[in-house]
Every structure is written in structure tokens, then in C-alpha cells.
Amino acid sequence: MKYAKIVATGSYLPKRVLTNTELEKMVDTTDEWIRSRVGIKSRHIVSDGETLLDMLAESAKLIIERAGIKPNDVDGIVVGTTSNDYIFPSAANLLQARLGITNHCGTFDVQAACSGFIYAMSIAEQYIKTGKMKNVLVLGGEAISHYINWKDRGTCVLFGDGAGGVLLTGSDEPGIVSTHIHSDGQYKELLYAANHWHEEGDMVKRPQIVMEGKEVFKVAVNTLNDIVTEVLEENNLDKSEITWLVPHQANMRIITATAKKLGMPMDRVIVTVDTHGNTSAASIPLAFDTAVTDGRIKQGDLVLMEAFGGGFTWGSALIKM
Ligand SMILES: CC(C)(COP(=O)(O)OP(=O)(O)OC[C@H]1O[C@@H](n2cnc3c(N)ncnc32)[C@H](O)[C@@H]1OP(=O)(O)O)[C@@H](O)C(=O)NCCC(=O)NCCS
């Protein structure tokens, strides 16, 4: 098969919505500060025992239903995540069982922080193009609220939970045009969550996200500019040919800066950071499914997805719908 084509999308958000007003009661912050610095009004957070697997399963069931296939037609599952409940088995492996897939297809997770979904797409694309797999579920999901320090105002206002994804199928018609993945491992100190459990009083606490926000911001803006240039040059494209930009949803100011670089009016940029927050590897598939479902992204459109995350990792996917 010449291409890996997106044939269906799906996503899931937890019911519990955490507003800026609620955060004002938890840390020294204001709704005005969060909106103006980051562009977030609210985010969804898992509650009542809801897990990453639950969110992935809801997304995947929707994708399978919309694609009109049976669970056992799926012959690969790749999940981008940093917040699986288990060190092993992988979330993809757990999902296979939850979906009742019994065909022994290959399943694995990809850990590339907020770029996880783009990395997962890039890997799935290779398996499809070489004919090793035909129908691959590619998902990004995070229960990242588990790893938030709810006393740190610099990070706790930024993140949210959710999951989403696509079904990639082998096709002779255009689908993924190109994917690009990169990393530079020297920036660990700026954004990380160490796998260290620690005691606080008589409680055992999970690992927590640590971030130097200002420094991350600077590298993110510069790197995302480079991503755009790389995609355009490699595909001999003019920026005016891109129909939609689906950026990683970390910060409205970063999104606006990238759109400006592309010369793209904001009404051609998919923005969900205002109500989703930064959902890490879930952010692009959540935004993408939102815009496909509400009819903005249509057949024939040229879509550019781009991501940036801890490590640092970054990447993009150019897709003909
Ligand atoms: C986190 C971020 C919003 C902070 O915005 P900023 O303009 O850089 O703000 P600074 O970190 O310089 O902090 C400015 C002040 O606001 C304060 N502040 C930080 N968080 C705050 C909050 N939630 N509410 C109110 N004040 C806050 C800081 O303590 C600082 O106060 P000080 O000047 O008294 O020390 C911004 O740096 C950012 O978005 N970075 C990128 C983060 C990101 O995208 N990470 C994920 C990448 S995948």
C-alpha cells in the first residue's frame, strides 16, 4: 500500500470539569492570569476511579464503530502516553483485551511526552506502508492529572486529561503525506516527571511534573517554527496550501506564534486548549476529532499536525484527508 489513510477518528473527555475559579481556591492564581498567559478556561480531570484505559477504550470503541469494522479487523495498536497506570503491560496491550481483540496483533506504547501521538502515527505509518499491518488503531491518551503537584501554581493550572485517536488503514489513495520526528535529550531539567514515589506525612505520593515554564516556552516557539519550515520544504509546499493547522494544545500564545509563522489566520487553526488544557499526547487527537466531527476538517483538506514535548521531543504529520 502506498499510503496510510485516516478512515475514522474518535475521542473521549472525562465528565469532571475543573474550572479556573476552582483553581483560585487551591493555589494563589486568578482566572484572569490563566486566561491571559495560557488561554485556558477549564480542563477535564478523571474522577471516581476513571482510568487512562477507560478513556482509551471509549475513544477506540467510537473509532471502530465509525470505521465500520469489527474489533478483530484491527491488526495493530499503538498508544502514545506518559501516564499508563502500569509500568507493564502497556496501555495498548491492556486496551487490546478491553476491546475483545483476540487475533494476537502487535500492541505497544510510545513514550515521547506531548509528542507521543505524532511519534505513534509515524511508527504506524511505516508498518502500513511496508504491508506488515493493514488497520492500526493509533491513540494518544493521558491521565496526567495523577502526576500534577496541586500546590504548584506554575504547572497545576496547565494540564488536563483525555484521549483520542484515529484508525489508519492501508490505501492507494493519499493519506499521510509525511511524518517527521525529532528529539534533543539535553533539556531534561526543564520538563520532567521522575519515576520516584515519595512519602508526604503518612501518604505515599506519585511522581510529579516539574517544569521551568519560561524556558520551555522559548524553546517551544523556536522549535515549532523549524517544524513548519521542514514540512513545507520537504514536500515542496507553499504555506498557503495548508488547509488546517492542528497544533499541540499547550499554550494559546505558542499556538498563535506558530500560526503567525505559517501566515495562517486563526480561523484555520484548530484550538481546544481553552476547554481541554494541555492533555499531552492526547491533545492533537482530541483537537483533530473535534474538528472532523464538527465538519470543519473535510475530505481533500491538507492538515498539518505539530507537537512539542518533554525531552525535548517534537514532530509533525502532514495529512491529505
Ligand atoms: C507556564 C507559563 C504560562 C508561565 O507564563 P510566564 O509568562 O512565562 O510566567 P513566568 O513563569 O515568567 O512567571 C511570571 C510570574 O507569574 C507567576 N505565576 C506562575 N504561575 C502562576 C499562576 N498560575 N497564577 C499566577 N501567577 C503565576 C510566577 O510565579 C511569576 O511570579 P514572580 O514574577 O513573582 O516570580 C509559560 O511559561 C508557559 O506556558 N510555558 C510553556 C509551558 C508549556 O507549554 N509546557 C508544556 C510543553 S509541552
Side-chain angles (χ1 to χ4, degrees):
M1 292 288 172
K2 217 169 148 201
Y3 295 101
K5 191 166 180 62
I6 294 176
V7 291
T9 65
S11 64
Y12 177 83
L13 287 162
K15 303 232 164 358
R16 163 95 169 95
V17 174
L18 179 64
T19 63
N20 291 349
T21 315
E22 287 173 86
L23 282 164
E24 283 177 352
K25 295 176 195 134
M26 295 159 64
V27 286
D28 182 14
T29 191
T30 61
D31 175 49
E32 198 282 327
W33 192 96
I34 304 170
R35 282 177 194 247
S36 62
R37 295 294 176 103
V38 207
I40 300 175
K41 297 178 205 156
S42 60
R43 68 289 289 143
H44 295 252
I45 300 285
V46 288
S47 62
D48 301 330
E50 198 169 27
T51 64
L52 173 70
L53 183 59
D54 296 332
M55 296 189 288
L56 290 170
E58 290 305 316
S59 307
K61 282 182 204 160
L62 200 55
I63 296 166
I64 288 171
E65 187 191 313
R66 287 175 176 170
I69 60 167
K70 295 189 187 69
N72 270 323
D73 294 332
V74 170
D75 59 3
I77 305 178
V78 190
V79 175
T81 187
T82 60
S83 50
N84 187 17
D85 284 325
Y86 292 82
I87 291 174
F88 65 87
S90 70
N93 191 220
L94 296 168
L95 181 64
Q96 181 189 37
R98 180 72 76 87
L99 296 174
I101 296 174
T102 52
N103 60 12
H104 298 172
C105 68
T107 60
F108 56 91
D109 292 354
V110 176
Q111 213 282 49
C114 297
S115 311
F117 180 72
I118 296 293
Y119 269 63
M121 287 270 281
S122 179
I123 295 165
E125 182 200 10
Q126 312 311 317
Y127 275 104
I128 289 174
K129 278 162 83 172
T130 54
K132 293 266 185 195
M133 291 179 180
K134 186 165 186 297
N135 291 314
V136 185
L137 268 178
V138 185
L139 297 150
E142 300 283 6
I144 204 154
S145 61
H146 289 153
Y147 302 97
I148 299 294
N149 175 355
W150 292 104
K151 292 178 186 153
D152 175 14
R153 67 177 182 172
T155 52
C156 76
V157 303
L158 303 177
F159 294 95
D161 298 330
V166 299
L167 183 80
L168 281 184
T169 296
S171 168
D172 290 325
E173 287 174 28
I176 295 179
V177 180
S178 68
T179 55
H180 310 260
I181 58 168
H182 300 284
S183 67
D184 183 346
Q186 67 176 310
Y187 291 102
K188 180 223 120 185
E189 292 305 324
L190 298 188
L191 178 57
Y192 67 90
N195 193 8
H196 299 158
W197 295 68
H198 62 281
E199 286 178 21
E200 235 178 69
D202 52 3
M203 301 266 288
V204 178
K205 293 275 193 176
R206 286 177 190 254
Q208 290 177 337
I209 293 175
V210 178
M211 184 176 74
E212 295 290 336
K214 214 180 208 27
E215 298 310 311
V216 174
F217 188 95
K218 280 188 224 156
V219 187
V221 169
N222 290 333
T223 309
L224 289 167
N225 282 347
D226 293 346
I227 288 177
V228 169
T229 309
E230 177 186 37
V231 175
L232 295 175
E233 282 181 6
E234 185 150 317
N235 294 289
N236 282 321
L237 278 177
D238 184 79
K239 50 194 179 184
S240 62
E241 293 173 79
I242 309 285
T243 328
W244 293 102
L245 177 65
V246 185
H248 171 48
Q249 310 283 319
N251 180 315
M252 194 59 204
R253 288 185 294 150
I254 299 178
I255 294 174
T256 312
T258 315
K260 202 169 161 198
K261 166 80 181 170
L262 259 179
M264 206 133 185
M266 285 309 287
D267 60 3
R268 278 167 52 208
V269 181
I270 307 302
V271 175
T272 50
V273 69
D274 53 339
T275 53
H276 295 177
N278 180 349
T279 56
S280 185
S283 98
I284 290 178
L286 271 164
F288 183 62
D289 180 48
T290 302
V292 169
T293 308
D294 69 22
R296 275 177 292 171
I297 296 180
K298 299 185 185 68
Q299 284 300 310
D301 286 353
L302 194 58
V303 176
L304 174 58
M305 300 174 173
E306 44 88 346
F308 179 85
F312 292 123
T313 60
W314 63 97
S316 63
L318 183 71
I319 296 152
K320 183 83 174 165
M321 295 296 294

